[in-house]
Structures are given as structure tokens and as C-alpha cells.
Amino acid sequence: MNLDWLDAFLIFGAFKVVEIMGLGLLVHLQLGLTRVANFGVVGFWGVGLYAFGVAHLKVDWPFGDPYQFLVCAAIATVAAAAAGLVVGWLISELDDDGTLVGTLGFATIVVILATTQQGLTGGALGLGGLGFPYDFGRVKTHEFTWLLITTAVVALIFVYAWRVHRTPHGRLLIAVGANEALARSLGKSATAARLRMMTVTSGAMGLLGAMHGVMVRSLEINSLDVGVTLAALAALILGGTARVFGAVVGVLLTVALFDIVIQFYLPIPDGWNTQALPVAREAVFGAAIVLMLIFRPQGLLGQMRRPALMRRLHGDW
Amino acid sequence: MTGEVVRPQILVRDVTKSFSGRVVVDVDELVLGDVPVEGLLGPNGAGKTTLMRLIMHSIPLDGGTVSLSRPGQRDVVLSSTRTSQMAGLGVVKSTQVITDFEHLTILDSALLAVTEARYERPFAAATDRAVRKRHEDEIRHWLDYFGFHDPLAVALSGGDKKLLDIVRCLLLQPAVLLLDEPTAGLSEDRTERVKAAVRQLASTGTSVVIVEHDLDVIWDLCDEVIFMAEGRVLLKDDPATIRANPTVVESYLGAGSA
């Protein structure tokens, strides 16, 4: 495959777009449907990243790739899902403010553990040695293939989120988010519904963390930055928390704008890419959240359109 | 009491509840379900709604127990049962305050009430249409009965939301149905429909308990009336006797009401 036309940095920019889109879709299920304000996205993603990295680098597996990748990715997914289950249980009786602080606290714990457990994680120095689970010869081909694989995974997450809206599971999540007391009176266990949702979505966040580890080929403490959470939340709030396409539109208008359009297609001065632009990016994302919450809290795509969906599903009623 | 009851009954024993030091419910012993339809009557602050919430365990009791007896089944202590398990035991309550699920349509609400937990898991294979097919007749019956002409829309008016709440309760096929002001804000025609639905449900073996300030509903529907004041049960008798009782007339109905 001749990829000379493709800039390696562009591949990585597109990877970030796809990755944040996946996280945004999962936050949509948490915040948009179930109204669980998860401000610790990077924590679940980081558990996946580090569980994958440690399992890959510290365990002497009797088999090589791609099986080693598959097993380690499964470990990352299960570890993040378990974290989602535990954190979900701990915050189950908290209000919105408590949930926000609790999930943020969890993310902080993950960063602290990753920093201090040097024997396992490499601490602040990090660990190198991760690689792609295939060998085609050229790095750019590897990265482009990994971008395609990650895109396929995020497409599956999109299909899952899209389908949730059309199933009894999605209706339960909306009901629990909208009126927990009323849902309980109908015999619905709001706690169980939230825990299942948190387990599934956190597991998927962990898988995306593992896929990030493969792309960057190392564990770096700097990657556990609040910017991951900020990017996913800013995109979703901009696009619309209650709509599946909210995350897609939001990521295109935020991460894609900064990490692809501005970075590659605008004539910005040398040095801005590494210094001014990342800072400006986070500032703009933060401002976008504040402005959207003030002027259009439902996001660009607006409210959930449940009657229209129900007419498509049950038009023959 | 297993095997002795002929209808589902709620037994309230030594139940107390205080808010900020003020006793709002203090019931030594009360059996609900002796007759098909019972009314809970009393002035504002008598403790009627709080008693219902204590039965549903949506607020914790300060003391005492609430239990459920059903013909041919073991008794269940409701006061140590989670609220979300009440509907599964057949104990269902409508809400006093008008409430609904934001965004969900009328059909959504009905489907939510009837959908079994196994279909609501994250990776359950069942589609929404499959669930609807399983319960379509009962949902269609009640929605048509109460005049919901567009179930694919969101309930907007207070009356629609009130009726939808009752529909959800009816779809749960309750053994004991607690209705808290079910006709408040409803038109005369809709009130009559609610009354007819309650009569039909009671005739099939459900025990119904109603809190209602529209006294005509109480006198028309109830086989027995319980009069409460200041958290205590003062009287329990047939509607005519309660209506003529001097204490009730003096403290609640007012002179000339009989």
C-alpha cells in the first residue's frame, strides 16, 4: 500500500478524532440518556491503557501477536469495566454534584497510581515497547491500518449507541435518568440499570485506551490528561448530549477542527503546534462548554426526538 | 396469616413516622384489603399520603412493620423490601403529584411498565416491537379506554399525565393498588372512567385503597372508609356511617354535608 500522499501526523490527528468520537458516544449513553455526569472519562480510558500496557509488557505470554494483543485488550476491557462497576456502585446514591466529584476523584486516583507504581507502569518515565499486532513492514502502513481498525471499533460503538435508543434497555436508561423515583415505582431497579450501563460503557472506554496504547506504542503519564475528558465532554455538549449524532457532530467541530484543519491546513507559525495550539485548544473547549450550557444547553442538534423515533418504530400502532 | 386471607391485604402495625420532631403517622394496627375498595379520608396533614409512602417504603419508617398477605402465598414484610421490588410483589401506587418521564412518549411509558427485566439488559436480543407484540392487547385496551388518541406523542397536559400514571399502574396488574388523588384535575368524563376502571379491577380481586379529596368519588366507590386525623386512624366503617359521624362532620366535612 503506497501511503506517500498521507502525512503521518494527519493519521495521528484522525486517530484522535475517531478515539474522542468513541468516548463521546459512550459519554452520550452515560450523560445524555442516563444522566450520569462522568467527569472521570480519562480514568476509565486510562485503566484500559495501563492495564493493556502492563499486561503486554510485564507478562511473559506463551504466544505472540495477534493473540497477545487480543488477550491484553480483553484484560484492559475487563479491568475498565470492573472499575466502572465499582465506581458506579460508589456513586449510585450520590446526586449530580457528588457523581461529578466522585468520578473526577477516581480519575485522579488512576493518575496517582500510574505515577507512583513505577515497578509496574514506569511512573513518570513511562514504558516503551508496545507495538502493532501485525507486521507489514512500514510504520505508516501500520498506523494507517490501526486507524482503520479503531474506526471500525468506534463504528461498532456508534451502532450500539444507535441501537440502545431503539431497545427496551435504552427506554429504561432514559426513564431512570428522567425520573428515578417513578421508575422504581414501576419495579425498575435504577441502581442495577446504572451499574450495567456504567460497566458496559467503561469497558468500552478501556478498550479505546488499549487501542491508544498500541497507536502511541508506549505508556506515558502525560496521556492521562484531563484534556481527554474535556474533549469528549466539550464535543458532546456542543453537538447535543441527548442525540447519538451529537458526539459525531461535536467532535468534527472541535477535535477535527483543531487537530486536523487548523494543524494541517491553516498557515500557523512554526512552534504553535507544540506550544500555543494545545493550550488554545483546551481553552476553547472549556469556553465552548460554558457558552453552550448558557446559550444552548441542548446542543446544536437539540433535544431527544423520541416521538419521531417511536413513529418510525411503531408507526403502525 | 398465610392461607387465611381471601384478598390481598396490607397489614400496618405500630408504624410511626416523624418529620422534624412532629409525628405525622402513628398507626397501631390497620388492615387494608378487607373489602375491594377502601377510602382514606382526613383533613390535610392527617398523614394519608405519608402512610401510603410508608407502605411503599419510598420513605423509611421510624418504627413498626408493614406486611403483605396474599391468598395462598407467604407473607412479605414490605417495610424491609426495596421500593423497586414492590411492583413485582403486586403492590403498586399512583403518584399524588403529577409526574412523568421527560422525553418518553405515552407508548414508551406503557411499554416501560410491562417490559420484563430480562428484555432490559444491555445486550438483550429482543427488539422493541417484539416486546410490544407480547403486551399489545392490554396496552391498546387501556390507552383506548382512557382516550389516548396519539400514543406516539408525549403527554403534555396535567390530565393526560395523571391518567398515564394510572394506566402504568393498571398495566402492572396489581394485587394491591394505592391511588393517591387519582381524579384530581380530571374532567367529569375522565373521572367516571377512572371510577369504572377501579370497580372493574376490584371485581377481579385487586384490593384498592384510595386517597381522594373529591368526596363523591369516595362515597361512590368505596366499600369502607378509614378516617385519619393527626397521623392516627380514628374510624373505619362503611361510607354512610363515616359520613354521618359527628367527629368526621365536625373536623372534616363541615355542618350540612350529610
Side-chain angles (χ1 to χ4, degrees), chain A residues 192-229:
Chain A
R194 282 210 186 92
L195 287 183
R196 287 191 183 117
M197 181 278 302
M198 280 297 287
T199 304
V200 171
T201 51
S202 302
M205 286 176 180
L207 176 61
L208 289 174
M211 302 197 74
H212 180 89
V214 172
M215 191 64 165
V216 298
R217 290 160 344 249
S218 62
L219 297 179
E220 293 174 9
I221 203 69
N222 289 341
S223 60
L224 298 182
D225 186 69
V226 72
V228 176
T229 303

Side-chain angles (χ1 to χ4, degrees), chain A residues 166-296:
Chain A
R166 288 152 176 79
T167 62
H169 174 57
R171 179 182 296 115
L172 175 64
L173 296 183
I174 296 168
V176 166
N179 195 332
E180 182 175 334
L182 189 55
R184 284 187 201 275
S185 77
L186 297 178
K188 311 298 176 186
S189 173
T191 305
R194 282 210 186 92
L195 287 183
R196 287 191 183 117
M197 181 278 302
M198 280 297 287
T199 304
V200 171
T201 51
S202 302
M205 286 176 180
L207 176 61
L208 289 174
M211 302 197 74
H212 180 89
V214 172
M215 191 64 165
V216 298
R217 290 160 344 249
S218 62
L219 297 179
E220 293 174 9
I221 203 69
N222 289 341
S223 60
L224 298 182
D225 186 69
V226 72
V228 176
T229 303
L230 189 65
L233 278 175
L236 187 63
I237 289 170
L238 185 67
T241 57
R243 305 287 299 276
V244 184
F245 278 101
V248 178
V249 171
V251 167
L252 291 177
L253 292 176
T254 53
V255 184
L257 185 70
F258 268 88
D259 292 0
I260 295 180
V261 177
I262 293 178
Q263 211 158 358
F264 290 98
Y265 297 106
L266 290 188
I268 54 175
D270 290 344
W272 278 34
N273 273 346
T274 53
Q275 293 174 17
L277 203 58
V279 176
R281 178 184 188 265
E282 297 207 356
V284 169
F285 286 1
I289 290 178
V290 173
L291 292 174
M292 287 306 289
L293 290 177
I294 292 172
F295 295 109
R296 194 172 165 83

